[in-house]
Amino acid sequence: MTVTGRLVWITGASSGIGEALAYDLSRRGARLVLSSRRGDALCDVRERCVRPEEHVVQTLDLAEPESLHAAAERVRSEVGPVDVLINNGGISQRGTAADTDMAAVRRIMEVNFFGAVELTKAVLPTMQRRGRGHIAVVSSVVGKFSTPLRTSYAASKHALHGWYDGLRAEVHDDNIGITIVCPGFVRTNVGSNALDADGNPLGERAQEQGIPAEDCAAVIGDAIEQDRAETYVGGWETIGVYVKRFFPALFRRFIRQYDGT
Ligand SMILES: NC(=O)c1ccc[n+]([C@@H]2O[C@H](COP(=O)([O-])OP(=O)(O)OC[C@H]3O[C@@H](n4cnc5c(N)ncnc54)[C@H](OP(=O)(O)O)[C@@H]3O)[C@@H](O)[C@H]2O)c1
């Protein structure tokens, strides 16, 4: 479906890939709902979009189910039915499985998995009633394989594949498309916002390797408009998906030498 004139709800729109998506999709003529926890940052993003007056800011916390339901209710009653939901907001991890506190494990699952599922379930009934809609979720290449220092992050992204692949089959006859996006390295603040073993943001420099967020956003926009089921975007690291699939023993040898940076 073309996004022109459609209402597109983006989570994690205050920075990185979500922010770049806001600029890309506003240029394609979409009307946007921009969400994350930081309202001021979202307002700045909205002002930098094409036709800011057509876009609204809606704060929410993916780890707080009540805030998601309140946000969905406000969007439904004050903005209108959502045509496209992009579950993009998320947090990463840097810490070994042995060292990582269970609270950090649960936090990553709450934000990356339960938050996306909860918001999806909030918009789904209206899409089913209307007989159309599209839901995208930003997973990762670590939704297809796992690496040292990212066990919980990889688990949260693998879980998204299980849930959204099944959902795709369930809602096919409702004319609702599901796109799972698997980026490799993208230059954003994901590294500095990643949780350490104690569950605190790492606070290091922004990720310097990888493709620009704008390039990633352009691929996501195309994947949604072309109703692609799954798409990989990034550099050499995306090849890991195929190495694991076709040469699993080789992949296991390689990945244990990866230092997680
Ligand atoms: N960059 C990469 O290399 C890469 C690779 C693969 C996948 N991804 C995925 O891409 C998505 C976007 O990440 P990014 O790279 O753009 O990182 P980012 O710059 O750190 O952006 C993360 C976004 O998620 C939002 N967010 C975090 N916790 C939240 C919460 N509890 N409730 C609501 N919003 C929350 C943040 O907004 P607030 O702080 O305002 O809440 C921010 O807008 C994530 O799902 C990430 O896992 C990134």
Side-chain angles (χ1 to χ4, degrees):
M1 85 157 56
T2 170
V3 298
T4 308
R6 306 286 190 195
L7 184 63
V8 181
W9 191 353
I10 308 169
T11 69
S14 61
S15 99
I17 296 169
E19 176 181 0
L21 269 170
Y23 304 143
D24 184 281
L25 297 178
S26 67
R27 280 194 300 272
R28 294 180 197 228
R31 297 175 296 123
L32 303 175
V33 179
L34 304 173
S35 285
S36 79
R37 291 165 301 179
R38 291 175 298 135
D40 290 354
L42 292 170
C43 288
D44 290 345
V45 171
R46 186 182 70 163
E47 289 311 307
R48 289 193 286 268
C49 285
V50 179
R51 293 179 302 280
E53 66 284 358
E54 291 189 4
H55 314 310
V56 300
V57 162
Q58 174 61 56
T59 55
L60 53 74
D61 188 333
L62 288 165
E64 301 285 346
E66 314 81 59
S67 94
L68 298 178
H69 287 287
E73 185 46 45
R74 190 190 151 218
V75 169
R76 193 166 32 239
S77 59
E78 294 179 22
V79 188
V82 175
D83 295 297
V84 181
L85 170 65
I86 307 179
N87 293 291
N88 164 74
I91 42 171
S92 190
Q93 175 196 17
R94 299 291 184 277
T96 65
D99 288 344
T100 299
D101 203 87
M102 271 312 292
V105 176
R106 290 181 188 281
R107 171 90 191 158
I108 290 165
M109 290 302 292
E110 284 292 349
V111 173
N112 293 358
F113 179 69
F114 291 115
V117 168
E118 192 101 41
L119 197 59
T120 297
K121 281 174 64 64
V123 303
L124 195 57
T126 305
M127 287 186 178
Q128 288 181 302
R129 253 195 316 279
R130 299 172 81 210
R132 67 181 161 96
H134 198 96
I135 299 169
V137 61
V138 179
S139 171
S140 165
V141 288
V142 303
K144 306 297 282 187
F145 57 78
S146 193
T147 79
L149 305 187
R150 291 179 177 82
T151 49
S152 302
Y153 179 64
S156 72
K157 297 298 189 181
H158 276 68
L160 291 172
H161 287 257
W163 203 83
Y164 284 92
D165 278 342
L167 180 67
R168 184 186 300 107
E170 288 181 359
V171 299
H172 177 268
D173 291 347
D174 296 322
N175 196 29
I176 298 170
I178 305 287
T179 297
I180 304 180
V181 184
C182 302
F185 293 120
V186 184
R187 291 202 298 272
T188 69
N189 293 327
V190 73
S192 49
N193 292 329
L195 302 189
D196 65 16
D198 297 323
N200 300 312
L202 222 54
E204 288 175 357
R205 70 213 181 314
Q207 184 157 298
E208 282 166 3
Q209 60 178 329
I211 63 169
E214 299 72 43
D215 294 2
C216 182
V219 171
I220 296 173
D222 289 347
I224 290 169
E225 292 202 311
Q226 294 161 12
D227 190 20
R228 297 191 63 173
E230 191 165 286
T231 193
Y232 308 120
V233 47
W236 59 269
E237 66 283 0
T238 58
I239 296 166
V241 175
Y242 303 100
V243 177
K244 186 193 172 198
R245 187 179 305 162
F246 297 113
F247 307 101
L250 176 70
F251 181 81
R252 283 194 293 273
R253 271 207 306 280
F254 161 77
I255 209 67
R256 66 178 173 244
Q257 287 155 32
Y258 174 59
D259 66 4
T261 53

